[in-house]
Amino acid sequence: MSESIISVERVTKQVQDSTGVLTILHEIEFALAARQSAAIVGASGSGKSTLLSIIAGLDTPSTGTVRLAGHDLFALGEDARAAVRAAQLGFVFQSFQLLGNLNALENVMLPLELQGRNDARALATEMLRRVGLGERLSHYPKVLSGGEQQRVALARAFVVKPAVLLADEPTGSLDFATGEKVMELMFELNRESGTTLVLVTHDRGIAARCDRQLHIEAGRLVVAEAV
Ligand SMILES: Nc1ncnc2c1ncn2[C@@H]1O[C@H](COP(=O)(O)OP(=O)(O)OP(=O)(O)O)[C@@H](O)[C@H]1O
Ligand SMILES: [Mg+2]
């Protein structure tokens, strides 16, 4: 494989609970080249969201290393890690994480504004239109349906054309047709901008469209080969 954009090296995550130490992830190891797409699949509770959060530098591993675009994420301080994240990553959370005091347009403009772009409004409007929310620009998250909130979260992640897009069940709240449209957008971003995709999904069809399928069972990677 050529230069990896993501490299996960022996990542283990343990937490303390009332009964002792719980191992959520056990020595996970894989690497992705730029432009690759990977699906993380596995049963509920197997550790998929935890792994995605660690790759994003939002959660810390107990042991192991994550390299993102050449940066050893957990060797960096909090601020430097946040800067790498802002420069390289789009993240779509399972719970969307929209800012409630900003409307749809403002939520999508935010990452562009953080990059100091002066065309934020036009780009954010266009991206919301592409996810089918051109008529919902000034709606606040609390009046949007679950699927509409998910599409705002996707638009916010897509709009900066990140080097890496991490998405946790990105079509989980969408009807079939809208889900298809959103997936098309994601693979378009992959083709046109070279964005590396890492998707957690329960949808076999989506998993099959990815270059790689990473199967997690009870915190262990059981298959990690090219398909
Ligand atoms: N901070 C924590 N403390 C204790 N247990 C945790 C913590 N975070 C996650 N877990 C446990 O670790 C396991 C993996 O959680 P995770 O959210 O990664 O699963 P998942 O594969 O994303 O599941 P789903 O498909 O339901 O979203 C679960 O059993 C969860 O209860
Ligand atoms: Mg999850």
Side-chain angles (χ1 to χ4, degrees):
M1 187 186 295
S2 57
E3 187 78 344
S4 302
I5 185 131
I6 297 171
S7 162
V8 175
E9 298 162 16
R10 302 191 68 173
V11 163
T12 291
K13 175 72 177 181
Q14 295 181 313
V15 294
Q16 191 78 40
D17 74 0
S18 52
T19 59
V21 175
L22 179 69
T23 301
I24 301 176
L25 294 174
H26 186 82
E27 300 210 337
I28 301 282
E29 176 122 0
F30 68 90
L32 293 176
R35 298 183 168 268
Q36 275 196 313
S37 56
I40 298 178
V41 297
S44 178
S46 55
K48 304 179 300 295
S49 295
T50 307
L51 176 59
L52 212 62
S53 297
I54 289 174
I55 297 171
L58 297 169
D59 194 356
T60 51
S62 305
T63 57
T65 305
V66 175
R67 287 179 217 283
L68 184 65
H71 302 276
D72 180 345
L73 275 190
F74 301 103
L76 299 174
E78 195 68 50
D79 290 350
R81 188 154 61 237
V84 171
R85 207 158 53 220
Q88 307 288 343
L89 268 193
F91 198 104
V92 182
F93 295 89
Q94 204 165 4
S95 54
F96 317 143
Q97 307 260 10
L98 297 176
L99 296 173
N101 58 338
L102 300 183
N103 68 26
L105 181 62
E106 291 161 349
N107 264 284
V108 179
M109 285 171 65
L110 190 63
L112 294 165
E113 287 173 336
L114 291 175
Q115 291 184 344
R117 313 235 350 197
N118 55 18
D119 51 356
R121 181 170 293 270
L123 289 175
T125 301
E126 166 62 12
M127 192 50 81
L128 280 163
R129 200 187 56 69
R130 287 180 74 181
V131 298
L133 292 177
E135 309 297 314
R136 296 286 185 278
L137 300 181
S138 59
H139 283 51
Y140 285 85
K142 67 173 189 294
V143 300
L144 293 170
S145 73
E148 288 171 343
Q149 290 178 46
Q150 184 157 35
R151 283 182 279 156
V152 176
L154 287 158
R156 181 180 60 182
F158 292 162
V159 79
V160 291
K161 298 190 172 19
V164 175
L165 180 71
L166 306 175
D168 200 344
E169 298 187 35
T171 58
S173 301
L174 304 179
D175 62 87
F176 181 77
T178 310
E180 286 286 294
K181 214 164 88 186
V182 160
M183 282 317 299
E184 280 314 318
L185 264 175
M186 244 183 254
F187 283 101
E188 222 171 272
L189 202 63
N190 172 250
R191 274 195 309 275
E192 291 170 10
S193 311
T195 295
T196 301
L197 302 179
V198 185
L199 313 175
V200 172
T201 184
H202 291 291
D203 183 319
R204 284 170 193 231
I206 293 171
R209 284 185 65 176
C210 293
D211 301 320
R212 307 269 304 275
Q213 297 175 337
L214 307 174
H215 292 258
I216 297 196
E217 262 178 46
R220 290 170 193 263
L221 205 55
V222 291
V223 184
E225 73 239 16
V227 288

